[in-house]
Amino acid sequence: MDFSKIIELLAYTLPAIITGLVAYYFFAQHTKNEEGRRRYLIHKEAQKNALPIRLQAYERLVLFLERINPAKLLIRVAPHSSDKKDYEEYLIAQIEQEYEHNLTQQIYISGEAWDVIMTAKNATIQTIRKASMGSDSADKMREAILTDLFDKQSPSSVAVAYLKNEVGEMWS
């Protein structure tokens, strides 16, 4: 093979190789873009289906917080006797039962929102225990809890405000 034949062969194959590489690059980019578009559409569809479930979870958790709000809890759950320890345990059991009923909702909300809900629950239980220590009967304990709520917001109210804010951010 002489040198002119090699140059002639390169003259034909080099443009073919370059054209092949360019075609491969464009095909790879097109495939990558299509994959991204498909992922976006699937994600968008999943979000559309998940939004009602997430909103329902927020609704249920607001209901939970309203039910454990000490002012509403004390009206709904009256003492069976004047024993403050029995009433304290009964109130805490009611809160724990409500909590367990709504435990699965945490998968639909943010971690920060769940932490706020846990803090509200624990603060409410602490309020009940604190009032129980300073009282000598169930009625005095109820009175102490309600008096304490006049001075400050209940933990449930703070948590409900946080959840409302988080839901509001979903729309913006």
Side-chain angles (χ1 to χ4, degrees):
M1 257 178 99
D2 104 15
F3 188 68
S4 65
K5 290 274 189 188
I6 292 174
I7 292 188
E8 187 179 331
L9 182 63
L10 282 177
Y12 288 119
T13 56
L14 193 57
I17 290 171
I18 292 173
T19 304
L21 290 175
V22 169
Y24 174 78
Y25 173 76
F26 281 121
F27 181 72
Q29 287 291 56
H30 175 71
T31 305
K32 184 179 173 183
N33 287 342
E34 282 298 309
E35 180 66 27
R37 190 175 70 78
R38 273 190 303 232
R39 277 198 191 128
Y40 171 75
L41 291 174
I42 289 170
H43 180 70
K44 186 177 174 184
E45 185 69 25
Q47 277 189 329
K48 184 170 55 170
N49 293 335
L51 184 62
I53 295 170
R54 288 189 71 204
L55 289 175
Q56 185 180 30
Y58 280 100
E59 289 171 1
R60 285 186 62 180
L61 291 170
V62 167
L63 179 62
F64 162 71
L65 291 168
E66 290 296 331
R67 288 181 62 81
I68 70 166
N69 187 331
K72 295 174 183 166
L73 181 65
L74 295 175
I75 292 169
R76 195 177 73 252
V77 180
H80 296 292
S81 68
S82 63
D83 184 24
K84 70 175 183 176
K85 191 67 177 164
D86 287 344
Y87 190 51
E88 173 190 355
E89 289 173 6
Y90 186 58
L91 287 173
I92 292 171
Q94 291 293 313
I95 291 170
E96 291 295 339
Q97 182 181 10
E98 289 285 338
Y99 171 74
E100 289 171 9
H101 183 70
N102 291 292
L103 190 60
T104 59
Q105 301 306 311
Q106 68 181 298
I107 64 174
Y108 299 112
I109 66 171
S110 70
E112 296 84 19
W114 186 250
D115 290 342
V116 168
I117 290 167
M118 289 293 299
T119 302
K121 173 189 150 272
N122 294 334
T124 302
I125 290 172
Q126 280 304 111
T127 300
I128 293 168
R129 287 193 171 132
K130 182 177 152 190
S132 175
M133 287 192 297
S135 305
D136 54 356
S137 71
D139 288 330
K140 293 285 185 189
M141 185 176 97
R142 288 176 83 179
E143 188 177 308
I145 292 170
L146 292 173
T147 302
D148 188 43
L149 288 176
F150 285 132
D151 298 336
K152 60 182 179 180
Q153 273 190 319
S154 72
S156 296
S157 299
V158 174
V160 166
Y162 183 87
L163 290 180
K164 284 181 179 179
N165 185 43
E166 194 165 288
V167 168
E169 288 176 1
M170 291 169 82
W171 304 118
S172 51

